[in-house]
Amino acid sequence: MQLATWNVNSLGVRLPQLLDWLAAHPVDAIVLQETKLTDDKFPHAELLAAGYHAQWFGQKTYNGVALLSRTPATDVLRNLPGLADEQARVITGTVAGVRVIGAYFPNGQAPDSDKFVYKMAWLDALQKHVADELSRHPHVVLMGDFNIAPEDRDVYDPVAWAGQIHCTPQERAHFQALLDQGMVDAFRLFEQAPKSWSWWDYRNLAFRKNQGLRIDHILVSEALRGQVQACAIDKLPRKNERPSDHAPVVLSLNLV
DNA sequence: ATGGCCTTATGTTAAGGA
């Protein structure tokens, strides 16, 4: 079984690239972030023609998430229980016995901003949601754009980024708290090339210079740890014309 | 050597992203 996550930075713009990628990587399920589409504009017919059922949850201009799967997802939940949130950031569903949580974590803008306060409240609600899903499902996968670089080795210039958004102790403590709940960073189960990033700024020739961050993650529950066969970032789509600034991350599980 | 982006919208500048 293969699962993936990709922040497409506008599904309206990136749909052709997504369809190309799915044709080359026929994963069982993929979660998308930053679809930036209201629900009436979601391209479900095109995706169904490509072999994917979809659950989607969007809004105008910003945010928006989706869960695409070969078999229809069940028990679908939108956003976080207990958090009144006008922003469409989370979609949860069961695919082939795996409880998949796809999430677009808030950016947070700057550690002293209102948006950072919102990010912390959102993260509190996410922790509860993950705990709740873990109490009900042994096989949980939390994946998406976390907007958190968990360690200095996930940052191209850790000195410059020290204490900056994505790298604050508070954000990293939340990432660690997810691990403490029994979630495992699948990417780090394997030896990886140094300077492996999932996001590169559009500016400053950042991709060409490989100046990026690893902020897109796939966490699996402890019960799935032994089933993880591979986890990799696919940099190739970042070389496309008009690319997303994020690369997809792919997980291979030893499950049918 | 230097500067250098992309997307969306009550759009032609501003805000947000990261």
Side-chain angles (χ1 to χ4, degrees):
Chain A
M1 182 184 202
Q2 288 205 309
L3 302 174
T5 176
W6 194 4
N7 180 326
V8 292
N9 185 17
S10 170
L11 186 55
V13 173
R14 234 67 67 186
L15 179 62
Q17 292 184 38
L18 174 65
L19 294 173
D20 285 348
W21 191 85
L22 288 172
H25 307 85
V27 294
D28 295 280
I30 182 168
V31 292
L32 307 175
Q33 301 88 41
E34 288 206 85
T35 56
K36 297 187 177 179
L37 294 173
T38 49
D39 287 343
D40 56 306
K41 299 207 170 100
F42 191 85
H44 52 96
E46 290 90 332
L47 290 163
L48 196 57
Y52 286 90
H53 298 270
Q55 294 286 341
W56 59 94
F57 180 39
Q59 64 181 89
K60 189 151 71 164
T61 313
Y62 302 116
N63 310 314
V65 288
L67 166 58
L68 315 184
S69 52
R70 290 273 178 204
T71 58
T74 57
D75 301 308
V76 175
L77 194 62
R78 286 163 175 77
N79 262 358
L80 298 170
L83 183 75
D85 194 354
E86 293 180 1
Q87 305 186 25
R89 295 188 172 276
V90 189
I91 190 151
T92 303
T94 302
V95 179
V98 177
R99 193 67 172 154
V100 174
I101 307 171
Y104 175 45
F105 290 41
N107 174 295
Q109 201 169 55
D112 60 353
S113 67
D114 289 346
K115 293 192 171 70
F116 190 82
V117 175
Y118 164 70
K119 184 173 194 171
M120 290 297 116
W122 187 94
L123 283 163
D124 283 335
L126 177 75
Q127 298 284 354
K128 292 192 187 80
H129 179 47
V130 170
D132 190 42
E133 295 296 343
L134 279 171
S135 73
R136 272 182 272 199
H137 307 274
H139 291 173
V140 176
V141 175
L142 168 64
M143 56 185 174
D145 175 358
F146 282 49
N147 275 320
I148 299 173
E151 301 177 58
D152 280 354
R153 61 175 166 163
D154 300 311
V155 182
Y156 72 94
D157 187 347
V159 173
W161 281 78
Q164 300 299 308
I165 197 64
H166 307 327
C167 303
T168 64
Q170 297 98 310
E171 291 164 281
R172 287 179 169 178
H174 265 288
F175 191 89
Q176 182 60 47
L178 290 168
L179 305 185
D180 293 343
Q181 286 204 48
M183 301 299 287
V184 179
D185 183 350
F187 189 75
R188 292 299 182 203
L189 288 176
F190 304 91
E191 189 139 345
Q192 303 285 359
K195 304 184 192 304
S196 288
W197 323 124
S198 67
W199 171 86
W200 300 258
D201 201 307
Y202 282 124
R203 297 166 292 190
N204 308 320
L205 299 176
F207 183 69
R208 203 182 301 178
K209 295 190 279 195
N210 197 32
Q211 297 179 341
L213 307 174
R214 190 176 73 97
I215 52 176
D216 299 84
H217 306 295
I218 301 181
L219 271 49
V220 304
S221 57
E222 190 62 48
L224 278 173
R225 178 199 287 263
Q227 313 302 320
V228 179
Q229 294 174 312
C231 184
I233 298 168
D234 181 8
K235 284 172 68 167
L236 217 53
R238 191 61 176 77
K239 299 180 181 175
N240 289 345
E241 229 173 285
R242 277 190 98 184
S244 168
D245 43 353
H246 294 255
V249 188
V250 184
L251 175 77
S252 299
L253 288 173
N254 185 22
L255 294 174
V256 260

